[in-house]
Amino acid sequence: PEDTPSDKPIPETRKNCVLPPGDLVVPFVFRIPSKQMPSSYEAGFEDSSYVRYSLYGNVDIAWWRDPSTRFFITVMSTELPPPTAMCPALRPPAEPQAIYGWDCCCQCCPQGTAQFEAAVDRTCVSPGDVIHVALNAQNHLQKDMRFKVEIKTCSRLESFTLRGTATHERVTPLDEAIVPAGGQLVWASASPKPLKIPGLPPTFGGNFLGRRSGKDP
């Protein structure tokens, strides 16, 4: 009912109710707790490791099979990250790294060196966010090199009963560019490269904004 208080438990169901023929629409609203609610997640280990949320409804028919339905929804936690996660992060310049080629049988002949430094505007992101990356990559080889920006999702599962662990990683490419031979690739800090975070977990069945429905027995 419209006069039902939102801060109190749902009233008891009326045991005797006659539904008229045709379609019946019953609007409802409820608030998902904002604390200690993990986001929806599919770890990829078949159906053994996941966090799923669903809406379930059924019609209780006396002395008859109850029709029911279930809709899976995506839930994202609203707990804010620590302030340090919203600060820019800088990868300091690294020492030039030797690049080895395939020009000899021992595969140990250095072809030259390469190095890069990079910075991002923040380290805490959500699916659909746009991050900005500044970059200075230097290629001291006689051939072009390919620079890739990827995001890695890593899940570590621990079993307290069997005392086993399992790790699942998924790498998603964000962008790539060519660093010319003997040259450099620059994404200036004054105009950094915008990169969009794709629909990564939390997800259900690989569909971040979608939903699935099914019939319960």
Side-chain angles (χ1 to χ4, degrees):
E2 296 182 356
D3 57 349
T4 301
S6 59
D7 58 343
K8 295 183 179 180
I10 298 176
E12 292 292 334
T13 304
R14 287 179 293 176
K15 298 300 182 180
N16 298 317
C17 180
V18 178
L19 300 179
D23 297 334
L24 179 64
V25 179
V26 183
F28 67 93
V29 176
F30 67 94
R31 184 183 298 275
I32 299 177
S34 58
K35 296 294 183 180
Q36 300 178 349
M37 288 286 290
S39 299
S40 302
Y41 184 65
E42 296 290 320
F45 294 95
E46 299 180 351
D47 287 334
S48 58
S49 304
Y50 55 81
V51 178
R52 295 174 182 169
Y53 296 89
S54 63
L55 302 177
Y56 173 77
N58 74 302
V59 179
D60 187 2
I61 302 177
W63 307 103
W64 197 255
R65 184 182 180 92
D66 299 338
S68 63
T69 186
R70 184 184 299 273
F71 292 91
F72 288 95
I73 61 175
T74 298
V75 173
M76 295 186 63
S77 175
T78 59
E79 295 190 57
L80 296 177
T84 54
M86 304 303 293
C87 298
L90 172 66
R91 184 188 189 277
E95 295 294 328
Q97 298 182 6
I99 306 299
Y100 296 90
W102 299 77
D103 297 340
C104 60
C105 59
C106 61
Q107 303 175 9
C108 59
C109 300
Q111 303 297 308
T113 61
Q115 64 185 124
F116 79 95
E117 58 179 325
V120 293
D121 58 345
R122 65 186 187 279
T123 57
C124 181
V125 297
S126 298
D129 284 355
V130 176
I131 60 173
H132 295 83
V133 181
L135 169 71
N136 185 355
Q138 300 180 13
N139 179 13
H140 304 294
L141 302 177
Q142 299 301 316
K143 57 182 179 181
D144 295 346
M145 295 188 62
R146 189 179 302 274
F147 187 88
K148 296 182 178 181
V149 181
E150 301 172 334
I151 185 170
K152 178 186 291 186
T153 305
C154 181
S155 306
R156 178 180 174 85
L157 308 177
E158 297 185 2
S159 172
F160 293 98
T161 55
L162 301 178
R163 299 191 180 279
T165 61
T167 302
H168 176 257
E169 294 184 354
R170 184 173 68 177
V171 177
T172 304
L174 298 182
D175 199 294
E176 64 178 49
I178 297 296
V179 186
Q184 61 181 357
L185 172 66
V186 177
W187 296 341
S189 57
S191 56
K193 181 82 170 182
L195 301 177
K196 185 175 182 179
I197 304 300
L200 298 172
T203 181
F204 179 81
N207 186 3
F208 173 62
L209 294 178
R211 68 179 184 180
R212 291 184 178 181
S213 62
K215 295 291 184 179
D216 281 358

